[in-house]
Amino acid sequence: MLEWISNNSGVLQVTVSLLTMVVWLAYLHILYLNFRRQRQAVILINRSVAQDENAHCFVTNMGAEPIYLMEVMAKVTTDDKTYHVKVTEREEVALDEVDDPLTRTNQGPIKSGEFIDIGSFTDLLRRADARIGSEGIFHEVREMELTVAAADGHATHLVAAKRKFRADWTDDKPYFVPERLMTRQIRNIFQRRKISAMLEEQID
């Protein structure tokens, strides 16, 4: 055995070096994945405060870096049609009734671990109805999917998340119930580009 090792010492040294290199590469890859995961944006879209028509929608930044909320888009589905519309601006608040114009928008920075109230679900639906042109979707809505688009802490990438809410009707009032437990994070680069293209088309 010792003679075989002595005769093949060169090969063994190369093999050990290669195995060591593979182990280090695997270790560095794990470190990189952990680092990347820690820096990924995590956006939560939650229903809070109440569970009736007064329920509010909270957008929370659970990532390690701050984000800048750019747009909130609603996909409103009725029995006959589906509408895509921005609901970022608080159009229910009259501009001449506020001292700070920023109170009329949901755009702005969200620090890590903080959240903003983007309005009640009734407000969001009325904003969509007004943007569409009062086609009566408020009384016909069956489903509303909210997509939040934001810039990451370095303002170099678009980050986004979405969550779907089912409209249950009681006493002629819609109660929005989330269809899934968790908010869906949009990581796919092609889906993010699609959202970016939608935002560019809706610049007004």
Side-chain angles (χ1 to χ4, degrees):
M1 183 66 179
L2 293 176
E3 183 179 353
W4 183 86
I5 293 175
S6 177
N7 293 335
N8 296 277
S9 59
V11 176
L12 288 174
Q13 288 178 356
V14 172
T15 303
V16 170
S17 297
L18 289 174
L19 288 175
T20 303
M21 183 179 67
V22 169
V23 170
W24 275 107
L25 288 175
Y27 179 71
L28 291 174
H29 183 65
I30 292 173
L31 287 178
Y32 170 75
L33 290 179
N34 288 335
F35 175 77
R36 183 180 177 185
R37 189 179 300 112
Q38 290 174 359
R39 292 179 61 87
Q40 278 185 333
V42 179
I43 301 172
L44 300 185
I45 305 171
N46 290 326
R47 183 188 65 176
S48 301
V49 178
Q51 295 187 5
D52 55 14
E53 73 276 7
N54 297 314
H56 279 235
C57 184
F58 287 2
V59 175
T60 306
N61 174 22
M62 294 302 294
E65 300 286 336
I67 60 173
Y68 185 93
L69 193 151
M70 298 170 59
E71 293 289 357
V72 180
M73 295 170 287
K75 176 183 175 183
V76 182
T77 303
T78 66
D79 288 334
D80 303 320
K81 198 171 181 180
T82 297
Y83 305 86
H84 294 84
V85 60
K86 293 191 299 184
V87 291
T88 315
E89 310 305 323
R90 296 178 177 270
E91 296 174 347
E92 68 274 9
V93 180
L95 184 59
D96 56 1
E97 295 180 359
V98 296
D99 297 327
D100 185 359
L102 293 178
T103 59
R104 289 194 76 244
T105 183
N106 287 308
Q107 291 190 20
I110 309 177
K111 295 180 180 179
S112 175
E114 295 188 356
F115 68 90
I116 63 169
D117 179 354
I118 63 173
S120 70
F121 282 89
T122 300
D123 290 336
L124 295 171
L125 187 56
R126 290 193 186 281
R127 291 176 207 168
D129 198 15
R131 279 264 183 170
I132 292 167
S134 299
E135 295 187 24
I137 64 167
F138 185 86
H139 300 288
E140 300 175 0
V141 62
R142 294 292 175 263
E143 184 180 275
M144 182 163 63
E145 183 179 74
L146 297 175
T147 300
V148 173
D152 67 5
H154 303 283
T156 55
H157 295 92
L158 180 75
V159 295
K162 64 173 59 177
R163 197 173 187 189
K164 190 180 295 184
F165 297 84
R166 182 185 71 253
D168 290 343
W169 286 84
T170 304
D171 299 328
D172 296 326
K173 297 176 182 178
Y175 300 83
F176 287 93
V177 180
E179 288 198 345
R180 299 179 58 183
L181 179 63
M182 300 298 294
T183 303
R184 178 187 169 195
Q185 306 299 313
I186 301 176
R187 308 287 191 201
N188 186 284
I189 187 172
F190 298 105
Q191 292 180 338
R192 291 202 307 250
R193 285 178 179 174
K194 183 178 179 180
I195 292 174
S196 179
M198 289 174 58
L199 292 178
E200 291 179 358
E201 289 176 0
Q202 297 183 25
I203 292 177
D204 51 17

